[in-house]
Amino acid sequence: MFEVGSLIIYSAHGICRIDGISEKTISGVSKHYYDLHPLRSAGLKISIPVDNDSILMLDLIERDEAEVIIESFRSPGVEWIDKSSDRNHTYSNILNSGDRKEIAKVINTLMRQKHKLQSNHKKLNQQDQNMLNSTQQILFNEIAISLDTTYDAILDRVNRIVEAVFHSEERVLSHSGR
């Protein structure tokens, strides 16, 4: 059970603070609910049953895991899937798992693909761009809190890693005669 005041990750809402635990009666059934508010949407209030195991609520990652995740951007991500519907389905399943290391791999792959396309004066399709933006927001904000920094600082740090790896791979390919 989470405690009042705790920061947690809750689905697409990202980082939420538990403001309280209240008892509510709905259809004659009384249950305890977490009263949450997403940090990105201070005006939004969410009530989640305390005893609902099917709802994915996670503790924030620790500092050492945050550093490991940032460094993971030096390694390849998940496999790029050419067919967009298959890619969206596969990547969404990974994102819904809540496994931050696997989520980082999806972000890594999308970032690398974006750099590859930009180098050819193209863009990610809108669905991939939306997936990248929303998952970066959640994961990088979580990492920023764990490392006591800002989202922008984490985004900049990861971008520098991905760009360096991308340019290094480009140099290797150009020297091997493509």
Side-chain angles (χ1 to χ4, degrees):
M1 191 162 158
F2 296 101
E3 303 204 5
V4 173
S6 296
L7 293 177
I8 54 111
I9 299 292
Y10 172 61
S11 73
H13 294 287
I15 300 170
C16 297
R17 181 176 313 283
I18 299 176
D19 291 332
I21 299 174
S22 58
E23 186 173 349
K24 296 179 184 178
T25 303
I26 300 174
S27 301
V29 178
S30 293
K31 286 186 174 185
H32 286 91
Y33 288 80
Y34 291 115
D35 300 320
L36 311 174
H37 82 264
L39 296 187
R40 290 190 323 200
S41 307
L44 181 62
K45 302 293 181 197
I46 304 169
S47 290
I48 306 298
V50 169
D51 64 353
N52 190 339
D53 293 334
S54 66
I55 296 173
L56 187 61
M57 293 174 50
L58 303 168
D59 286 311
L60 295 186
I61 57 175
E62 299 290 328
R63 182 176 197 84
D64 57 337
E65 186 178 356
E67 289 290 351
V68 167
I69 290 170
I70 290 172
E71 289 303 311
S72 75
F73 284 88
R74 297 186 191 284
S75 301
V78 296
E79 179 182 343
W80 179 256
I81 300 168
D82 288 326
K83 188 175 177 187
S84 64
S85 60
D86 291 347
R87 181 174 60 250
N88 185 54
H89 177 74
T90 300
Y91 291 4
S92 292
N93 285 339
I94 294 169
L95 300 177
N96 291 333
S97 75
D99 183 331
R100 273 64 149 234
K101 290 177 183 170
E102 293 301 311
I103 291 169
K105 288 179 182 178
V106 170
I107 294 170
N108 188 351
T109 297
L110 290 169
M111 290 177 77
R112 288 171 186 238
Q113 185 66 16
K114 182 176 180 177
H115 281 287
K116 179 180 173 184
L117 290 169
Q118 285 176 335
S119 72
N120 292 314
H121 308 288
K122 296 180 181 178
K123 294 182 178 182
L124 272 179
N125 73 39
Q126 193 60 50
Q127 189 174 29
D128 290 333
Q129 186 63 54
N130 291 343
M131 181 180 285
L132 176 59
N133 291 344
S134 64
T135 54
Q136 275 181 328
Q137 275 290 327
I138 293 170
L139 184 63
F140 292 3
N141 273 313
E142 180 180 9
I143 291 171
I145 289 172
S146 297
L147 297 178
D148 195 29
T149 189
T150 65
Y151 168 86
D152 289 332
I154 299 302
L155 179 62
D156 183 57
R157 186 171 165 192
V158 171
N159 269 328
R160 280 187 274 120
I161 291 169
V162 171
E163 287 172 14
V165 169
F166 177 78
H167 291 302
S168 174
E169 290 171 351
E170 284 290 300
R171 281 192 298 275
V172 168
L173 287 173
S174 67
H175 284 92
S176 66
R178 281 193 187 180

